Amino acid sequence: MTTKKNSSNPAQQPALPTGASASATVSATVVMITPAIAGEMLKRNTQNRPVSDTQVDLFAKLITEGNWRLTHQGIAFDSRGDLIDGQHRLWGIIAAGIAVPAMVVRGLDHGAIEAVDTGLVRRAHHVLAIVDGVTLSTNTRAALIAAMILVRHGRFQPSKTVTVHDLRAAHAEHGVDVAAISDILHAKHDKLGSASITATLAMAHRTRPAQACQFARLLRDGAGLHVGHPVLTFREYALRAGSTGGAAPREDISLRLFAAFDAFVAGTSRSHLKQAPLIRAKYLAPWRGDADAVAAT
């Protein structure tokens, strides 16, 4: 007869290897780090990886937008006083020009750098799922961010790192409209369900919900459309187009789609679609709070 070990009793568990003995010289304190203090700390930055401007911009954005959070991850120095973790946070504080609290650990074994930043990165959508209970597909996330970029900038442009705050705000603002369109489009062709097309029709959905959904259904199926029908003209253009990734291709597809949708609403034919920034501005107006342009829709 074998006896089952009580795995819940810590005293019966084998000691786990630590790789280094605990040191009484290791300390951890919360420090309000000003840009000046950050500059002093960076003087001990002698052996880190190259600085990523994107990561610095991300931390600066979190700080300036009031989204900095104090966590166990902060600034770390080894027993020689060299900085082994936190250079991007420090540069972000300097870029933002604002003091923030951070955990500062001192006295770590020099070899501790081997275990820094080796885990799986928790991305914005992971955090949103854990904290908010909101799980988003890859297509939906891409469309939400595309919609957010359109509203913020009035056009597609290269996107920087997306924070959980960006994704949460995009979902709150555009989630209903994106879902209405993506539920129709994502059943078929990848190109016809791309982020740029979904986000563009989501913009139109705010003021023309029934017509935006009808356009999406016709675009998805492509059946029974006569030559010159704006949906068919756009469908053929989109399927012939090259890559839908990158700001320039998304901008082209979006502008032509707005032209096609506007012709669809007006009941006019289009055998050729031109880029239509003025038409797009009209449909973006309700999202951007432009009262005069909203009245024109």
Side-chain angles (χ1 to χ4, degrees):
M1 176 177 176
T2 58
T3 302
K4 185 177 181 180
K5 292 184 179 180
N6 181 3
S7 60
S8 63
N9 186 349
Q12 297 181 5
Q13 301 304 306
L16 296 177
T18 62
S21 58
S23 171
T25 62
V26 175
S27 66
T29 56
V30 176
V31 177
M32 182 62 72
I33 302 179
T34 65
I37 292 174
E40 288 300 312
M41 288 180 167
L42 283 167
K43 291 179 180 179
R44 302 297 303 184
N45 188 30
T46 61
Q47 54 184 1
N48 253 307
R49 56 190 165 178
V51 173
S52 165
D53 291 338
T54 299
Q55 195 66 18
V56 171
D57 290 343
L58 172 60
F59 281 122
K61 178 182 177 184
L62 289 172
I63 295 169
T64 56
E65 293 182 353
N67 292 319
W68 176 271
R69 296 290 182 267
L70 174 64
T71 74
H72 66 291
Q73 294 175 304
I75 315 301
F77 296 89
D78 66 15
S79 57
R80 302 186 305 192
D82 291 331
L83 181 71
I84 61 173
D85 190 29
Q87 64 169 341
H88 291 101
R89 293 179 178 86
L90 293 173
W91 281 117
I93 292 170
I94 292 173
I98 299 172
V100 293
M103 185 68 71
V104 178
V105 177
R106 297 182 184 275
L108 291 172
D109 183 86
H110 180 65
I113 195 170
E114 297 176 7
V116 173
D117 291 337
T118 58
L120 181 65
V121 175
R122 218 181 247 123
R123 302 194 182 280
H125 61 279
H126 296 145
V127 178
L128 200 67
I130 294 168
V131 177
D132 297 8
V134 176
T135 301
L136 303 172
S137 69
T138 301
N139 284 337
T140 298
R141 293 198 308 270
L144 286 171
I145 297 305
M148 179 184 71
I149 291 171
L150 272 178
V151 172
R152 283 186 180 179
H153 306 290
R155 57 177 287 119
F156 280 111
Q157 62 181 45
S159 59
K160 297 183 178 180
T161 303
V162 176
T163 69
V164 65
H165 310 288
D166 291 329
L167 191 56
R168 181 180 288 124
H171 182 256
E173 179 70 5
H174 308 295
V176 171
D177 299 282
V178 166
I181 300 302
S182 62
D183 286 349
I184 297 171
L185 287 183
H186 287 167
K188 287 193 176 181
H189 311 278
D190 289 342
K191 279 191 174 181
L192 299 181
S194 67
S196 52
I197 291 177
T198 303
T200 297
L201 287 176
M203 298 294 96
H205 188 268
R206 168 73 55 106
T207 51
R208 303 277 186 176
Q211 288 162 308
C213 289
Q214 184 182 4
F215 189 103
R217 283 190 288 270
L218 292 172
L219 180 63
R220 177 195 63 196
D221 299 329
L225 300 177
H226 60 78
V227 175
H229 193 291
V231 175
L232 180 61
T233 301
F234 175 77
R235 190 177 194 274
E236 291 177 343
Y237 180 83
L239 291 176
R240 288 196 310 267
S243 171
T244 58
R250 287 185 173 188
E251 181 76 351
D252 177 68
I253 283 290
S254 177
L255 287 169
R256 294 177 195 274
L257 176 50
F258 274 116
F261 182 77
D262 204 53
F264 174 71
V265 170
T268 57
S269 297
R270 286 288 185 277
S271 58
H272 178 71
L273 294 170
K274 295 182 179 180
Q275 296 185 2
L278 292 180
I279 293 176
R280 178 169 67 185
K282 180 178 71 171
Y283 284 102
L284 287 181
W287 299 89
R288 309 187 80 194
D290 185 339
D292 293 335
V294 170
T297 62

